[in-house]
Amino acid sequence: MKKYQQFIDFAANLPCVYSEVYRISKKSKYHSLRSRLTYNILGSSYTNFIMFFEDALVLRVYQKDKDKYSDLVQETMHMRWEIDKDTSNWHEIPLSKINQSNESIIYELIKKSYDNLYEKYEQKFALNFNKEYFEGKFEGEEIMKLAIKHRNAKKYAHILDKVKKKAVRLIENPDKEIKKGSSKLGGQPDLPVGFEWPLCDGKPLTFLAQIDLSEVDPEKSGYRLPGKGFLYLFSGVANLEYEEYAYFLDKIDEPETNKVYYFDVNKKQLKRQNNYYSKLNEVPVDIDYIWSYPLYAEEKVFEEFNLSEDELELLTDLSDIYFTAVNSSITMQYLSLHLLFAYEMAVQELHSVDMVLFQTTSSEGTGMYWGDSGIFFYHIKEEDLKNLNFDKIKVSTDCS
């Protein structure tokens, strides 16, 4: 896409913009979508305003502009699904028609495509607020305070302060050295000698994560786990083919399908174990800490406040604004985000009233894929967590 590079750079530098890359999956039997680079406005996959295909630049050119530049802009078959009510707004500029004489026109059309979407979604996704954030005007604990100010919600600040809780964030750091027992996703775990690898239907589960709890600050994480020992997570679905994934969903609640273990052992007692049935890519992680706010009105922490539907919507909107801003350095679209103890960041609905021990998104680095841009959750009752009893762990998954 070298011929597009100047337009790619222009789109990427517009405020509140992030990119998605679509490729044909070699394993997929059902998807034949050609490779493309898409730029979205922060907030939703429905806010994509430009796509760079191998043979054409596809963007939201409304009919009046299409008619004005009919020698340059054509109808397109690249977009075959509805995005909004005006289904006539997707058009393309063929690569063969792009030259120096019309570059200024293309810049103008890209900006119009962007402006149309920005205006449409500004209020819904608090884009003006996030524009300030991306320009670096505030950070850290200031984010929620300024989100409250942005939405004129000062009277609810005490509620948000009461329901917030400490959470741990695992940040993928592929450049970090992996030592025995260190926190990581995927690869081969460092397990106590004599550990028997968990099976489901006679097949080994996939190792997801190991967390060295000596790396986790007890105070910053809320004193929910010991300050020593190791936590291990396994699943039967981390990188399955689509047909196997669909089959797994029928078995998701069966006790042998997912496992969590805690061992209070010294690193010297650990030994790296191999399992070649289904292995994720090994990615070391850094330990980080954030405040977590409830993203769903159904969270039980809201029950004591007797709030109306409109008030609940306002509070969860504020939580979403904060969540997006605080995680923007890692992800814009529920990718490569891995959290301990945070409120659910489900895509469609709340799945459990129990605590979320761990939630993880699809990740290109590890090769974890939970359906279509999905998220996978390990739920646990607070009493069981307090007693370090992981035998009754429950799991759920959510995807768009």
Side-chain angles (χ1 to χ4, degrees):
M1 294 188 179
K2 291 182 179 179
K3 196 166 183 179
Y4 293 140
Q5 193 58 53
Q6 58 190 334
F7 304 120
I8 290 173
D9 294 341
F10 178 74
N13 288 318
L14 292 168
C16 302
V17 162
Y18 68 95
S19 66
E20 291 178 332
V21 179
Y22 292 80
R23 300 184 184 92
I24 299 172
S25 171
K26 293 181 180 179
K27 297 181 179 180
S28 176
K29 299 178 182 177
Y30 304 100
H31 299 89
S32 58
L33 191 65
R34 283 187 291 174
S35 299
R36 75 170 191 246
L37 173 64
T38 298
Y39 279 97
N40 291 1
I41 297 176
L42 180 66
S44 168
S45 59
Y46 293 114
T47 57
N48 39 12
F49 67 95
I50 190 167
M51 302 178 189
F52 297 93
F53 287 83
E54 294 176 359
D55 60 346
L57 186 160
V58 181
L59 68 167
R60 291 174 180 257
V61 178
Y62 287 83
Q63 199 63 43
K64 64 179 186 298
D65 294 316
K66 188 257 182 181
D67 293 340
K68 181 178 179 180
Y69 302 110
S70 58
D71 58 331
L72 176 64
V73 180
Q74 300 178 359
E75 301 295 331
T76 183
M77 289 299 295
H78 284 291
M79 287 293 294
R80 294 191 291 270
W81 57 89
E82 293 186 4
I83 298 296
D84 56 28
K85 292 179 181 179
D86 183 2
T87 55
S88 66
N89 61 1
W90 285 106
H91 295 86
E92 70 175 53
I93 301 173
L95 178 63
S96 60
K97 290 198 172 186
I98 297 176
N99 53 56
Q100 289 186 341
S101 67
N102 56 33
E103 284 180 359
S104 60
I105 296 173
I106 295 173
Y107 283 122
E108 177 186 344
L109 291 173
I110 293 173
K111 188 61 165 60
K112 282 187 176 183
S113 181
Y114 168 86
D115 287 343
N116 287 330
L117 268 292
Y118 193 99
E119 181 180 352
K120 180 176 180 178
Y121 289 106
E122 191 289 312
Q123 181 62 30
K124 183 176 181 180
F125 297 123
L127 295 178
N128 287 344
F129 171 88
N130 282 291
K131 181 180 178 181
E132 291 184 54
Y133 175 75
F134 284 116
E135 290 174 351
K137 295 184 179 179
F138 51 88
E139 59 183 28
E141 294 182 4
E142 293 181 282
I143 295 172
M144 180 55 84
K145 292 179 182 178
L146 288 160
I148 289 170
K149 182 179 179 181
H150 174 77
R151 285 292 174 89
N152 298 314
K154 188 176 180 180
K155 63 182 288 188
Y156 300 103
H158 71 287
I159 296 177
L160 289 165
D161 192 55
K162 189 171 183 179
V163 301
K164 71 180 182 181
K165 62 181 180 180
K166 295 176 180 179
V168 178
R169 187 166 55 175
L170 308 182
I171 302 177
E172 296 182 20
N173 181 1
D175 298 323
K176 185 177 181 179
E177 181 184 359
I178 300 177
K179 298 180 180 179
K180 185 170 75 170
S182 61
S183 300
K184 65 179 181 179
L185 303 167
Q188 300 165 349
D190 303 311
L191 294 159
V193 175
F195 176 84
E196 294 187 12
W197 199 284
L199 306 176
C200 177
D201 290 346
K203 297 178 180 179
L205 298 186
T206 299
F207 165 66
L208 257 66
Q210 92 182 10
I211 302 168
D212 178 0
L213 297 181
S214 69
E215 298 177 4
V216 180
D217 187 310
E219 181 180 0
K220 292 180 180 179
S221 61
Y223 294 102
R224 296 187 184 92
L225 286 169
K228 60 178 182 175
F230 299 85
L231 194 69
Y232 302 91
L233 298 101
F234 294 81
S235 176
V237 72
N239 57 348
L240 297 179
E241 294 278 5
Y242 179 83
E243 298 94 327
E244 293 175 296
Y245 180 81
Y247 168 73
F248 170 83
L249 294 181
D250 292 333
K251 300 168 63 65
I252 197 169
D253 290 327
E254 294 185 11
E256 302 306 313
T257 309
N258 302 274
K259 290 288 186 180
V260 176
Y261 301 92
Y262 167 74
F263 296 108
D264 182 7
V265 295
N266 189 283
K267 285 186 181 181
K268 294 180 181 179
Q269 298 173 273
L270 300 179
K271 182 178 180 180
R272 187 150 297 184
Q273 293 199 26
N274 298 334
N275 165 41
Y276 296 104
Y277 172 71
S278 179
K279 188 174 72 174
L280 297 171
N281 302 324
E282 185 177 56
V283 179
V285 295
D286 293 323
I287 305 297
D288 190 29
Y289 309 92
I290 60 171
W291 286 108
S292 179
Y293 295 86
L295 296 163
Y296 282 81
E298 293 79 12
E299 291 280 7
K300 61 182 180 180
V301 293
F302 282 133
E303 292 176 359
E304 65 176 282
F305 301 106
N306 193 29
L307 299 167
S308 68
E309 289 186 10
D310 288 343
E311 289 174 318
L312 285 168
E313 182 177 357
L314 173 60
L315 289 173
T316 52
D317 279 351
L318 288 166
S319 297
D320 192 54
I321 291 170
Y322 170 86
F323 179 87
T324 301
V326 79
N327 291 307
S328 64
S329 60
I330 300 172
T331 182
M332 298 289 192
Q333 47 184 326
Y334 294 116
L335 291 177
S336 304
L337 192 60
H338 320 284
L339 300 167
L340 289 163
F341 314 129
Y343 285 105
E344 273 196 35
M345 54 177 182
V347 178
Q348 299 192 48
E349 62 181 351
L350 189 68
H351 288 267
S352 175
V353 296
D354 293 334
M355 175 184 288
V356 181
L357 172 66
F358 182 65
Q359 52 192 309
T360 181
T361 67
S362 298
S363 162
E364 287 192 6
T366 64
M368 282 192 288
Y369 297 104
W370 311 106
D372 181 9
S373 301
I375 305 173
F376 196 70
F377 309 93
Y378 289 80
H379 304 280
I380 191 169
K381 294 186 180 301
E382 292 194 34
E383 187 66 22
D384 287 336
L385 181 60
K386 182 179 179 181
N387 296 323
L388 299 178
N389 176 14
F390 300 102
D391 292 338
K392 298 179 181 178
I393 200 86
K394 297 289 186 181
V395 303
S396 61
T397 187
D398 196 6
C399 59
S400 58

